[in-house]
Amino acid sequence: MDAGLFAQYVMNGLMLGMMYALVAVGFTLFFGVLDIIKFSHGDVLTVGAFTALATYVGLRSAGIGASPVILLIMLVVAIFAMAALGMLIARLLVLPLRSAPALNTLLITLMFGTVLRESVRLFYPQGANPKPFPALLPSVSVNFGNFNLRLDSALMLAAGLIVIVGLQLLLNRTKLGLAIRAVAQDEETARTMGVNFTAIVLITFAIGSGLAAFAGIMNGLYYNEINFGIGLYLGVIGFAAAIIGGLGSIYGAILGGFLFAALQTIGTVALPFASAYKDVFAFAVVIIFMAWRPTGLIQEKISERV
Amino acid sequence: MIAGEQHAKGALLPGVVAVALTTAYLIALLAVEKQPLIIGLLALAIAAVLAANWLGWLAPVSRSFADREEPLAGLAIAAAFAVAVFFHDDHFVLLLVCTVLLYTVATLGLNIQFGYAGVLNFAGASFFGIGAYTSAVFNAHTAVPHLLVLLIGGLIAALIGSLLLLPVLRTRGHYAALVTIAFALLLKTFLEVNDVLGGPQGLQVKGMKIFGWSFNDNIEIGKISLSFYWSYFVVSMLLLIGAFILVRRLERSWIGLNLDALRLDETAANCFGLDVARWKITAFTLGNFLIGMAGALFGMIGGFVAPNNYTFADSLLLVSILLLGGIGNPWGLVVATVIVVVVPEKLQTIQEYRFLLYALLVIMVLLFRPEGLLPRPVRRYFPGWRP
Amino acid sequence: MTTTMTASTPLLEARGLTRKFGGVVALDRLDLAIERNEILGLIGPNGSGKTTFFNVATGIYRADAGHITFDGVETTGATSRAIYRAGVSRTFQRSRLSLPLSIFDNVMIGNHKRLNQGLWFNLVRRRAFKREFETNYHAARTLIEVFEPQLAGRMFEPVAGLPMIDRRRIEICRALISQPKLLLLDEPSAGMTHEETTALMDDILQIRTLNKNLAIVIVEHEMGVIERITDRCAVLNFGRKIAEGPYRQVAADRQVQEAYLGVA
């Protein structure tokens, strides 16, 4: 394989990895603070993407055309709307079920994910069909031999990196981040230290869901298309990535995201005749990995006291 | 009777009345065509159940079923036949009845996995589909007797299921969730991409033929003509009765106790000698066996199988039945299956929305009545037994 | 399985047992022997390693170093299941009963090794199964009757509605039903009143007179209990044994007093 083609694969892999990492981080955040799996996370991504699309349509019909402005507004609207949705999910569905078995929370969020997904399919105009997503980033590209470097990809990669670094800074350098980490480690102690548990949970859900919206828009910009099932698909991958990395570890989630993308890329390269099998390949490897190292690459939080 | 032991045996009458009323209601619901009438009937049912609950009439019925299960089960079987006889030449209704029966078998299988052993399976519809594809392939390309094909469908589903679960046996619950969801999504893609198995259009399934009697011909008994679905109805009933007995005996045994123990507290179960991995895989395999068999028969009844009928959303629908009916209670499953399968068929306007509606319903149940419609009672190894 | 057993071989012997959790050394080269048929009190301040010792001895945690032998057989690194089958049974500090299940079910969970677990037996041979069920019902009921006759007539009630003291009793019955050689009781009287504790200890002593072939290790904080029912005590502090002997002797030990109260 020549260098240009190789670089192309690497670039694709990085983009996918970035998206998966963003989703995986959400899963790990929710698991960290509450020990629960929030299965509606992927579908929040879908709603975020569709919210952005609806914003776009609204703005265009209102006559606003300037590309960077529209994108900015879309980002702001989608992220804040999803943050609010995330908080609602926490407040209405997850927190009330705290004393029930963890299974119930998994189930209720799974069902709510279905509600979101079906709502988009049924109520968004022609929601059952894939919808074109506008190309709002400069579509300039540079060619290095076989390697076609899209400027928008590079921009998105950079933006994703900034978001992840920003999240790390938030978690490690701010008081809020400290509170989140405290709750993730030991809820009881954090409470006795004066941390407002409910507020932290809501904020964490808001952050995670905002990330999902960002990832959803990124997805739309990259493929120029969104559909109602995209969140389910990305959610399953994000969850798998979070598990590989070790549930509860942010680094693990990021690592897992890029690892999964690498596996998919290897699958595509190794099976050129049947690239549809790249997912089967990637998941098969993940499942074998789970058998070998169930707690993930970076130790999953042990929460049970005997 | 040792002094101080529980109250007297539940009476038979409340159960009989409940079965009779339900059967009459079902016949009415199935017979009526006009949408407003159907909505009226549904409202009536909800009001009646709420009223019965408020009047305290539901508890005696519960006790009746708990202590007099055998005669009541016999009555329920007779009631099912009564419904089938009433609609003896109505293809649509009989097909619906068969669908309910086979979905119940599938959910009973899911119940073993999830309700008893606590193993999550979000690919129930996929295993159902695997059974159906097995019928399609075997009936078209081999001369294997069709009853045996049912068994093979079950075995293949069981085998694939155990391969899927083995890697995640020693991990926490959400891993099994991930694995089965991924399987559900990927299997559909796999089937659509593979023309060998018919691609997105799927495959035709030859109808059942036992000892030369072809099920797909209408039956004539003197002047009475029966819909050809009647033969399928009988086989489905037999399958359901077998599955029901299996599930009942399983629960009412040391094995049922093992499954409950490992679901509720794995660590303690380990400390008392339970081989958690062994029993989880047993439950999962047994459950998939039932699901696969039901799917194989369903394929033959419907005449065709396609990937679009066995999606992740359909698997979630099966899980919804389990949660609505009351996890772990086979009678609750029967009731919930009827609700989930029959209502959208009769109320065509909501057919399109059924995934959404049932998801919302389950959310309500999980928030306000997590034990479901018919909560699972305490284990009674031998109903009506007193020391 | 050959056992190199003499009358003086301890039933359970831990040598150099070490277990760490991250930076915390919960068991620090612990040497502890439990003799056959004795009642040993295991005491020490909070965090001294008593529950960790139980957890390592029952295979929930692996030791990082050291050895355990039970009944002459090396059990270091053995699974919880194997250790149970060898004859070790326990209760938990935080009561771990299956709340939705009945009293009978909970007790039967402890009887796993003596029940026929075959699929054919359970699903097909129902008459034989019924006989086994009835035998075990009476066994469980008799055992419960020792602790609380009031419960004996309610064997199929869910445990969830019962008061804490009854739940602890049921947990002890669950541990006893399989007729173990060694019973580990982890703070059985936690949350009980003085009268309830006394009654519970009476019941335990009664079990002992009925069953001579049983050693008991009891972790307790109420010293009155320890003094009353134990043959001797071992005192742990920071994962090490700091004193051993009859209660009176141990209570007078300077090191023990310092461990509990701090240096004067």
Side-chain angles (χ1 to χ4, degrees):
Chain A
M1 190 195 323
D2 79 342
L5 198 56
F6 181 74
Q8 191 75 63
Y9 277 123
V10 168
M11 189 61 182
N12 286 346
L14 284 176
M15 280 302 297
L16 287 175
M18 179 64 70
M19 285 191 279
Y20 300 156
L22 286 169
V23 178
V25 162
F27 272 111
T28 238
L29 271 175
F30 304 136
F31 185 81
V33 282
L34 274 183
D35 254 352
I36 55 120
I37 308 297
K38 180 182 164 258
F39 258 114
S40 51
H41 189 50
D43 299 291
V44 167
L45 185 152
T46 308
V47 176
F50 274 84
T51 307
L53 184 62
T55 314
Y56 173 78
V57 170
L59 288 175
R60 291 288 274 159
S61 61
I64 306 175
S67 217
V69 174
I70 286 196
L71 184 57
L72 207 58
I73 299 180
M74 281 163 69
L75 273 168
V76 167
V77 170
I79 290 177
F80 275 92
M82 290 311 102
L85 180 61
M87 286 201 277
L88 267 174
I89 293 175
R91 164 59 84 200
L92 294 177
L93 297 180
V94 175
L95 282 173
L97 252 48
R98 286 229 68 210
S99 43
L103 202 60
N104 290 25
T105 312
L106 194 155
L107 288 167
I108 211 176
T109 54
L110 191 64
M111 290 295 153
F112 190 67
T114 301
V115 170
L116 291 175
R117 196 164 57 249
E118 287 293 302
S119 298
V120 171
R121 182 179 75 89
L122 293 165
F123 303 130
Y124 195 89
Q126 266 113 47
N129 301 331
K131 318 280 291 164
F133 200 87
L136 292 164
L137 293 174
S139 49
V140 178
S141 65
V142 185
N143 275 315
F144 297 97
N146 251 338
F147 176 33
N148 179 318
L149 176 62
R150 287 164 56 180
L151 188 59
D152 57 2
S153 302
L155 279 173
M156 284 196 281
L157 213 49
L161 205 60
I162 293 173
V163 166
I164 288 184
V165 169
L167 182 68
Q168 286 289 43
L169 288 175
L170 176 75
L171 286 175
N172 292 321
R173 299 282 173 89
T174 65
K175 267 188 101 176
L176 174 63
L178 184 61
I180 294 177
R181 281 184 293 132
V183 168
Q185 269 234 332
D186 188 337
E187 176 203 332
E188 265 178 63
T189 312
R191 279 184 134 138
T192 48
M193 291 292 138
V195 172
N196 184 339
F197 177 73
T198 309
I200 293 297
V201 168
L202 291 177
I203 292 175
T204 311
F205 269 64
I207 295 175
S209 306
L211 282 174
F214 182 80
I217 295 178
M218 210 165 125
N219 193 277
L221 290 172
Y222 188 58
Y223 290 111
N224 286 318
E225 183 182 274
I226 55 176
N227 71 78
F228 73 95
I230 191 68
L232 179 60
Y233 176 70
L234 285 175
V236 172
I237 294 179
F239 184 39
I243 287 184
I244 305 175
L247 272 175
S249 158
I250 303 280
Y251 287 119
I254 298 172
L255 186 60
F258 282 100
L259 265 173
F260 196 91
L263 283 172
Q264 278 186 319
T265 311
I266 294 173
T268 315
V269 172
L271 308 161
F273 51 89
S275 61
Y277 286 104
K278 70 180 194 301
D279 289 331
V280 177
F281 171 75
F283 271 107
V285 174
V286 168
I287 292 175
I288 295 172
F289 178 81
M290 284 203 276
W292 170 57
R293 239 192 129 116
T295 45
L297 288 169
I298 304 176
Q299 182 82 61
E300 173 176 337
K301 217 174 74 142
I302 310 166
S303 49
E304 207 201 5
R305 261 193 86 201
V306 181
Chain B
M1 185 155 121
I2 300 179
E5 194 58 67
Q6 264 91 347
H7 41 75
K9 248 184 171 182
L12 193 54
L13 191 61
V16 173
V17 170
V19 173
L21 282 175
T22 317
T23 312
Y25 177 79
L26 255 176
I27 292 181
L29 186 64
L30 288 169
V32 167
E33 296 289 328
K34 296 224 167 66
Q35 298 280 286
L37 273 177
I38 295 179
I39 296 179
L41 270 175
L42 289 174
L44 176 66
I46 296 174
V49 170
L50 286 173
N53 193 25
W54 185 73
L55 282 166
W57 287 351
L58 288 184
V61 173
S62 233
R63 268 207 307 278
S64 193
F65 268 87
D67 285 338
R68 306 275 184 172
E69 200 179 41
E70 252 166 70
L72 284 177
L75 190 63
I77 295 173
F81 272 90
V83 174
V85 165
F86 190 90
F87 294 101
H88 60 98
D89 56 0
D90 188 334
H91 295 305
F92 175 73
V93 171
L94 280 179
L95 176 59
L96 192 57
V97 169
C98 290
T99 308
V100 169
L101 295 177
L102 292 178
Y103 267 57
T104 310
V105 175
T107 354
L108 281 172
L110 205 61
N111 185 46
I112 299 178
Q113 300 169 333
F114 183 36
Y116 297 153
V119 177
L120 291 170
N121 183 0
F122 291 119
S126 306
F127 290 106
F128 198 70
I130 286 175
Y133 268 93
T134 309
S135 312
V137 169
F138 271 77
N139 286 6
H141 298 288
T142 70
V144 175
H146 290 175
L147 283 177
L148 203 55
V149 171
L150 290 185
L151 273 170
I152 297 176
L155 286 171
I156 293 186
L159 184 65
I160 296 180
S162 49
L163 285 176
L164 200 61
L165 192 72
L166 270 168
V168 298
L169 260 183
R170 295 166 204 279
T171 60
R172 292 171 66 180
H174 42 259
Y175 290 68
L178 172 66
V179 163
T180 50
I181 295 179
F183 181 70
L185 295 176
L186 291 177
L187 184 69
K188 177 162 184 272
T189 317
F190 176 81
L191 289 170
E192 282 174 342
V193 164
N194 260 298
D195 284 324
V196 172
L197 288 169
Q201 316 292 31
L203 295 171
Q204 297 258 17
V205 187
K206 277 212 217 122
M208 193 166 224
K209 246 201 182 91
I210 307 183
F211 308 124
W213 176 335
S214 167
F215 274 39
N216 281 14
D217 303 326
N218 275 342
I219 311 159
E220 307 274 336
I221 303 182
K223 288 229 202 83
I224 311 171
S225 84
L226 295 174
S227 154
F228 67 95
Y229 284 118
W230 234 89
S231 324
Y232 285 117
F233 166 74
V234 172
V235 181
S236 304
M237 271 306 285
L238 289 173
L239 187 60
L240 177 57
I241 293 171
F244 200 86
I245 294 178
L246 173 73
V247 168
R248 267 341 216 155
R249 288 193 178 179
L250 188 73
E251 198 232 346
R252 292 172 165 156
S253 69
W254 305 136
I255 300 180
L257 180 60
N258 288 346
L259 296 180
D260 282 336
L262 75 87
R263 180 185 84 252
L264 292 166
D265 191 341
E266 253 186 63
T267 312
N270 253 316
C271 283
F272 291 107
L274 223 132
D275 189 343
V276 171
R278 170 186 169 196
W279 290 112
K280 272 191 188 172
I281 202 83
T282 306
F284 197 68
T285 307
L286 205 54
N288 279 341
F289 178 69
L290 286 180
I291 296 176
M293 271 209 292
L297 185 54
F298 191 71
M300 290 196 225
I301 295 180
F304 80 102
V305 55
N308 212 24
N309 298 342
Y310 307 105
T311 63
F312 176 60
D314 295 296
S315 293
L316 283 186
L317 208 62
L318 287 177
V319 172
S320 303
I321 294 178
L322 207 61
L323 292 169
L324 286 172
I327 306 186
N329 187 338
W331 289 108
L333 286 183
V334 173
V335 174
T337 311
V338 171
I339 296 176
V340 172
V341 172
V342 172
V343 172
E345 285 293 326
K346 295 304 288 185
L347 218 51
Q348 278 300 319
T349 37
I350 70 164
Q351 198 32 313
E352 182 70 5
Y353 298 89
R354 69 185 191 284
F355 294 133
L356 175 63
L357 284 174
Y358 286 120
L360 278 171
L361 198 55
V362 171
I363 291 177
M364 291 296 124
V365 165
L366 283 170
L367 283 175
F368 303 116
R369 199 186 154 91
E371 64 276 18
L373 256 176
L374 294 179
R376 178 183 173 190
V378 158
R379 174 182 284 99
R380 282 281 189 180
Y381 290 81
F382 293 94
W385 177 88
R386 293 286 186 273
Chain C
M1 172 165 58
T2 50
T3 54
T4 48
M5 233 169 63
T6 65
S8 58
T9 313
L11 179 62
L12 185 146
E13 191 172 8
R15 275 171 289 123
L17 211 58
T18 307
R19 171 70 201 196
K20 302 185 190 152
F21 294 104
V24 177
V25 184
L27 295 177
D28 187 3
R29 293 159 290 160
L30 177 67
D31 293 325
L32 185 60
I34 301 163
E35 306 294 335
R36 284 167 206 290
N37 309 334
E38 73 165 341
I39 301 187
L40 173 75
L42 192 59
I43 59 180
N46 276 326
S48 51
K50 310 185 292 292
T51 300
T52 309
F53 171 70
F54 275 12
N55 288 339
V56 172
T58 51
I60 295 177
Y61 298 141
R62 282 189 78 109
D64 292 321
H67 294 271
I68 304 191
T69 52
F70 178 75
D71 211 359
V73 178
E74 176 95 14
T75 56
T76 323
T79 60
S80 303
R81 288 168 41 222
I83 294 173
Y84 160 79
R85 275 201 303 272
V88 180
S89 221
R90 71 173 291 177
T91 64
F92 297 86
Q93 192 176 23
R94 177 185 73 101
S95 171
R96 292 179 86 120
L97 285 181
S98 300
L99 294 178
L101 300 183
S102 64
I103 298 178
F104 175 72
D105 277 352
N106 271 284
V107 174
M108 277 302 111
I109 289 176
N111 210 11
H112 183 91
K113 68 183 181 188
R114 306 201 315 166
L115 302 173
N116 188 335
Q117 308 288 354
L119 266 174
W120 187 260
F121 176 79
N122 279 275
L123 295 179
V124 179
R125 294 185 53 209
R126 292 301 282 181
R127 266 208 300 268
F129 173 75
K130 190 169 190 175
R131 281 196 296 274
E132 187 169 284
F133 159 72
E134 284 173 337
T135 312
N136 279 284
Y137 169 79
H138 289 292
R141 197 199 155 97
T142 311
L143 189 56
I144 290 272
E145 229 156 13
V146 171
F147 286 86
E148 178 52 271
Q150 292 241 1
L151 290 176
R154 299 153 65 187
M155 292 297 284
F156 293 101
E157 234 177 71
V159 159
L162 297 174
M164 193 44 144
I165 175 169
D166 285 337
R167 287 200 231 162
R168 290 219 177 260
R169 287 167 167 150
I170 295 168
E171 217 185 331
I172 295 175
C173 290
R174 178 177 71 177
L176 283 171
I177 188 78
S178 63
Q179 297 185 337
K181 297 180 192 150
L182 175 61
L183 175 64
L184 304 175
L185 296 173
D186 202 343
E187 295 189 42
S189 74
M192 289 191 199
T193 66
H194 192 67
E195 290 78 24
E196 290 172 336
T197 306
T198 313
L200 187 66
M201 294 307 142
D202 285 337
D203 299 332
I204 293 179
L205 284 174
Q206 195 183 346
I207 290 293
R208 268 284 264 118
T209 54
L210 292 172
N211 187 353
K212 294 276 184 279
N213 195 13
L214 173 66
I216 302 178
V217 179
I218 176 164
V219 169
E220 256 305 334
H221 286 298
E222 215 187 289
M223 293 306 147
V225 165
I226 297 287
E227 183 172 9
R228 191 180 144 212
I229 76 166
T230 62
D231 299 324
R232 64 183 184 108
C233 295
V235 187
L236 297 189
N237 196 22
F238 293 118
R240 312 213 74 206
K241 183 177 67 183
I242 59 173
E244 195 172 6
Y247 174 76
R248 283 282 168 81
Q249 176 190 320
V250 148
D253 185 316
R254 201 73 202 294
Q255 257 198 303
V256 171
Q257 287 166 357
E258 274 171 16
Y260 271 100
L261 301 170
V263 181

